[in-house]
Amino acid sequence: ELGEQSRDAALSALEKSLPSGASAMVVNPTTFTGDRVGLLPDSVDGLVVMGEGRSLLTQAVDGGTLVDLPQLPAFTVMSLSSGAASNQSTSLTVTEDGDSLIVENSLMRVTFASNGDITSIFDKEASREVLTEGEVGNQLLAMEDRPLAWDAWDVDIFYDDRVEKLDAVTRIDLIEEGPIRATLLVERSYRSSTITQRIHIYHNSKRIDFDTHIDWHESHILLKAAFPVDVLSPTATFDIQWGNVERNTHRNTSWDWGRFETAAQKWADLSEGNYGVALLNDSKYGYDVLHNVMRLSLLKSATMPDPIADQGEHRMGYSLLPHTGDWRNGVPENAYDLNDPVILRPVSSASGDATMHQLVSVDSRNAVIETVKQAEDGEGLI
């Protein structure tokens, strides 16, 4: 709560530094420069970058307006003003092919079956299929989870001896179709629970976002999302504080058996040298990667010491990111974007004269600015 108060106070101070003609403020809270998409919680016809006169691509969605922000500099505050809507077109298209729905941009083509399963992810840049032949992506798997001790803390290796795939679909709708983003809503039922996912695909990215809302009423069930990918590597890479570690993707030794579940921060990546796939998350840190199958733990639902642990509503996000090269090719940048999205807010009390201000920057890819704070004496930035 104190963190939110501090952030709101900082945003209010930045808002006052913008020109009086500004109608919206953009903040890139990450150390990376790149193409970003933000949600303005307001309805606008068009937006222009002040000082440049450059029109931005927008799309009306539920909850406000999506704004396309190409090559937004790191740690930058930028002012926008109302203007004419951009008539720019993009490569994002949605078509039907029999019972299948195909969402496509210039970088990839994603095919959804009639039950919401992802049956194909074709990478146009690399000219290869991302998923294993005959498999589907984003499998939601329910596993009986009854550890021998420490119910809420332990996951025992036999947890996936009994696995159910959640196939019951109660709703599937294309709820967004525009120049910036296409969104498929898939709702599934499982026993007494409901899983609702908004699957986002953007016009200029290979990243597929799974905005997930779960109303959970099960016990001793471990819920995972699984992606069988067409990548073979003896090791996978996992994000940790200030770096990453590698773990084997096989179980040849007792050490490997003991690492069947791996803790990671924002991402896990499976790469075979010139190609790979990353599984990003915004709040879920349990992964397992066995051979070519990447899985992320979503819910555990233990009953000791809390008999109703994980019962009720949950909101989480995860993303699949195919890429050329290894994890160094865009994985950290996209993981930070998922965890620290662009801040877009209407401006009501601007009175300054700075149309764009960059707090700090870095000129080396291996250096990441993680935290920026005001000095205790108020005379600088730490």
Side-chain angles (χ1 to χ4, degrees):
E1 183 178 352
L2 291 174
E4 287 294 320
Q5 291 175 358
S6 299
R7 192 187 80 152
D8 289 343
L11 290 175
S12 296
L14 290 171
E15 183 179 319
K16 291 181 173 63
S17 71
L18 299 180
S20 56
S23 60
M25 175 177 66
V26 179
V27 181
N28 180 357
T30 75
T31 186
F32 299 107
T33 296
D35 296 338
R36 308 291 292 270
V37 173
L39 176 64
L40 179 68
D42 202 354
S43 296
V44 296
D45 293 327
L47 289 170
V48 175
V49 179
M50 293 190 71
E52 300 180 19
R54 173 167 51 97
S55 295
L56 297 174
L57 191 63
T58 59
Q59 177 182 334
V61 296
D62 186 24
T65 304
L66 285 179
V67 183
D68 191 45
L69 301 160
Q71 288 302 298
L72 185 64
F75 284 117
T76 291
V77 183
M78 186 169 67
S79 56
L80 308 178
S81 61
S82 299
S86 173
N87 58 4
Q88 176 187 353
S89 61
T90 68
S91 61
L92 184 63
T93 61
V94 180
T95 57
E96 293 184 9
D97 182 11
D99 292 335
S100 299
L101 187 74
I102 300 173
V103 183
E104 187 170 3
N105 60 26
S106 61
L107 299 172
M108 68 174 182
R109 181 175 61 249
V110 183
T111 304
F112 294 90
S114 58
N115 65 349
D117 282 345
I118 300 177
T119 57
S120 172
I121 304 173
F122 185 78
D123 188 328
K124 297 181 180 180
E125 182 185 18
S127 297
R128 61 181 286 170
E129 175 63 40
V130 175
L131 300 177
T132 303
E133 184 178 1
E135 296 283 359
V136 298
N138 192 40
Q139 300 176 22
L140 296 178
L141 305 177
M143 308 168 182
E144 187 173 17
D145 178 45
R146 296 182 183 274
L148 299 179
W150 310 112
D151 190 22
W153 287 268
D154 282 3
V155 178
D156 288 344
I157 197 168
F158 50 79
Y159 72 93
D160 60 356
D161 285 353
R162 295 179 61 182
V163 180
E164 294 178 75
K165 181 175 178 290
L166 277 59
D167 282 325
V169 177
T170 56
R171 179 187 174 191
I172 179 167
D173 283 315
L174 181 67
I175 60 173
E176 292 177 1
E177 183 180 0
I180 297 178
R181 187 172 79 182
T183 299
L184 186 69
L185 185 146
V186 181
E187 184 179 275
R188 302 181 187 276
S189 63
Y190 174 70
R191 298 183 182 178
S192 301
S193 303
T194 304
I195 298 93
T196 304
Q197 292 194 305
R198 289 169 174 82
I199 305 174
H200 303 303
I201 298 175
Y202 298 85
H203 74 99
N204 60 351
S205 175
K206 295 180 187 177
R207 198 176 93 197
I208 307 172
D209 290 347
F210 300 88
D211 181 8
T212 304
H213 177 269
I214 301 177
D215 187 13
W216 193 249
H217 300 283
E218 316 303 327
S219 297
H220 293 292
I221 296 293
L222 180 64
L223 182 67
K224 279 182 175 278
F227 294 87
V229 298
D230 190 19
V231 176
L232 295 176
S233 173
T235 61
T237 307
F238 299 86
D239 177 48
I240 61 171
Q241 306 92 322
W242 324 119
N244 54 70
V245 295
E246 290 187 351
R247 293 281 185 259
N248 290 335
T249 59
H250 54 75
R251 295 179 183 172
N252 292 352
T253 70
S254 59
W255 289 79
D256 300 331
W257 281 94
R259 293 169 175 163
F260 62 89
E261 184 89 356
T262 299
Q265 290 286 318
K266 295 180 284 295
W267 54 267
D269 183 84
L270 183 64
S271 294
E272 56 185 21
N274 63 347
Y275 194 80
V277 179
L279 183 55
L280 322 176
N281 83 89
D282 73 348
S283 58
K284 300 295 173 181
Y285 313 116
Y287 286 88
D288 73 278
V289 181
L290 180 60
H291 304 306
N292 67 315
V293 180
M294 309 178 73
R295 302 195 303 197
L296 176 67
S297 298
L298 303 181
L299 288 175
K300 194 176 191 303
S301 54
T303 58
M304 279 290 291
D306 183 356
I308 57 171
D310 286 343
Q311 302 294 308
E313 297 193 9
H314 302 262
R315 189 72 178 266
M316 64 200 72
Y318 58 93
S319 304
L320 191 75
L321 177 66
H323 57 82
T324 55
D326 63 10
W327 62 267
R328 295 169 182 85
N329 189 15
V331 173
E333 291 89 337
N334 277 276
Y336 271 85
D337 183 26
L338 181 66
N339 282 269
D340 293 313
V342 166
I343 300 168
L344 261 169
R345 58 187 279 177
V347 171
S348 58
S349 57
S351 59
D353 56 8
T355 58
M356 185 179 295
H357 178 63
Q358 188 169 25
L359 293 176
V360 64
S361 64
V362 62
D363 59 5
S364 296
R365 287 195 71 244
N366 64 305
V368 175
I369 300 171
E370 185 72 30
T371 305
V372 178
K373 70 181 288 286
Q374 189 174 32
E376 294 297 329
D377 60 6
E379 297 299 321
L381 292 176
I382 306 296

